[in-house]
Amino acid sequence: MSEWDAIGIGLVVRDISVLMDRYPAADEKLRAREIHESGGGPVPTALVTMARFGRKTAISALVGDDAVGRFLVEGLERENVDTSSIAVREGFVSQTSVIVVEHGRRTILEAPDGVGFPLTWDDVRGLPLDDCRALLLDARTVGVQIDAARRVRQAGGLVVLDCGHPRNGVDELLALTDVAIFSHTYPRALHGKDCDVKAFLRETLEKLPKGGPGIAGVTLGSNGCALTSRDVPLFRLSAPEVSALDTTGAGDVFHGAFVHAFLKTQSIVEAAGFANRAAARKCEGMTGRAPLPAEEALWAND
């Protein structure tokens, strides 16, 4: 049995979340209802979710030698995610996003030059790549992630990909990925808003390597999720009804909860149901790091 349940390589970013009664019009000044500062990013939020369920996790990422970088590292440490492989680079500016939240929707504003992520192999080699059950990736630094995925698969671990938008190198990563669950924004960017999810998942399955579980899925926001595998026909799960305040990070929580549950049950259907409920309950609170119910309460809904 591997010592580490899940490790990850991915973007870490500070989120400034502003809760509004409505989105402001041009030249308008409105008072915010709440303002929150939290850590964000798909891989770290998924790992935080797993750590909250008692999993042993670690991350490799890049931050600057600045106050934001220290905030991000300290936040992960408080959530019991090992940060010893986070690179602190002088001259690099730790990333910040501003998120405007209103009526359960969110609008994300990134840094002017986008989110840079110049991570190198030297930065990630400290991760226990040969001693983990799962590796979580976000296609933000594909060259390094491909090398890490090869190492993890050779050692018998699962490679899990979360990607919200098409990027160079995704197909190369898919060739090394066991579990690929995309945001609905990914197939829509490729094929338009009326894309055929079933056809997209069928295409994705064909790109995954033989010899693994071969799981492909799409998170569909308020419409739940759709998943399939080589052994399980396509199925859809409706999203549980909740009073949604902020959807930020719901897909990231889904990924972490799915990996946790799949490692536990080896059932794609049970894992999807657990993850679907965890993601929905996250939306009841502000930020991607909103509190989650106890694991037992999420299983009790089965």
Side-chain angles (χ1 to χ4, degrees), residues 9-10 117 135 137-149 173:
I9 303 171
F117 193 33
L135 169 67
L137 304 173
D138 62 1
R140 289 282 189 167
T141 176
V142 172
V144 167
Q145 292 181 344
I146 285 173
D147 291 340
L173 266 180

Side-chain angles (χ1 to χ4, degrees), residues 29-113:
K29 185 175 184 179
L30 292 179
R31 187 179 299 277
R33 286 174 55 191
E34 298 176 16
I35 298 177
H36 298 264
E37 181 183 30
S38 67
V43 168
T45 301
L47 291 173
V48 164
T49 300
M50 295 189 69
R52 289 177 175 180
F53 293 138
R55 296 291 185 176
K56 187 174 182 181
T57 64
I59 188 169
S60 179
L62 178 64
V63 298
D65 185 15
D66 51 28
V68 173
R70 291 187 287 276
F71 170 81
L72 292 170
V73 172
E74 290 167 4
L76 289 166
E77 290 174 345
R78 283 195 301 273
E79 294 280 4
N80 297 313
V81 177
D82 185 283
T83 63
S84 58
S85 292
I86 288 184
V88 180
R89 189 160 300 161
E90 186 176 353
F92 180 76
V93 178
S94 300
Q95 301 294 315
T96 294
S97 292
V98 176
I99 303 173
V100 180
V101 179
E102 38 87 34
H103 299 292
R105 303 171 298 190
R106 87 282 191 271
T107 303
I108 301 175
L109 311 175
E110 289 189 345
D113 297 324

Side-chain angles (χ1 to χ4, degrees), residues 62-267:
L62 178 64
V63 298
D65 185 15
D66 51 28
V68 173
R70 291 187 287 276
F71 170 81
L72 292 170
V73 172
E74 290 167 4
L76 289 166
E77 290 174 345
R78 283 195 301 273
E79 294 280 4
N80 297 313
V81 177
D82 185 283
T83 63
S84 58
S85 292
I86 288 184
V88 180
R89 189 160 300 161
E90 186 176 353
F92 180 76
V93 178
S94 300
Q95 301 294 315
T96 294
S97 292
V98 176
I99 303 173
V100 180
V101 179
E102 38 87 34
H103 299 292
R105 303 171 298 190
R106 87 282 191 271
T107 303
I108 301 175
L109 311 175
E110 289 189 345
D113 297 324
V115 181
F117 193 33
L119 202 65
T120 69
W121 182 250
D122 285 340
D123 295 323
V124 306
R125 63 173 52 191
L127 281 174
L129 297 166
D130 301 318
D131 190 26
C132 69
R133 300 180 69 188
L135 169 67
L136 279 59
L137 304 173
D138 62 1
R140 289 282 189 167
T141 176
V142 172
V144 167
Q145 292 181 344
I146 285 173
D147 291 340
R150 288 198 183 102
R151 283 273 299 274
V152 169
R153 293 199 86 245
Q154 288 170 0
L158 293 174
V159 176
V160 182
L161 177 63
D162 175 7
C163 194
H165 302 280
R167 296 188 178 92
N168 292 333
V170 170
D171 281 351
E172 288 84 349
L173 266 180
L174 284 173
L176 296 163
T177 294
D178 299 291
V179 181
I181 303 177
F182 297 89
S183 166
H184 64 276
T185 54
Y186 189 98
R188 288 180 181 178
L190 285 177
H191 305 299
K193 65 177 183 178
D194 296 322
C195 67
D196 184 338
V197 170
K198 183 177 181 179
F200 170 75
L201 292 179
R202 185 168 58 246
E203 293 169 5
T204 300
L205 272 182
E206 293 172 356
K207 296 176 182 178
L208 303 184
K210 304 296 189 291
I215 297 171
V218 176
T219 55
L220 301 168
S222 60
N223 292 317
C225 61
L227 287 94
T228 186
S229 74
R230 292 197 178 91
D231 300 322
V232 178
L234 175 73
F235 65 94
R236 294 175 183 256
L237 297 177
S238 299
E241 291 189 12
V242 297
S243 179
L245 179 66
D246 178 14
T247 61
T248 304
D252 310 333
V253 170
F254 184 99
H255 278 80
F258 182 90
V259 176
H260 165 70
F262 186 74
L263 291 177
K264 190 170 190 173
T265 68
Q266 295 298 302
S267 166

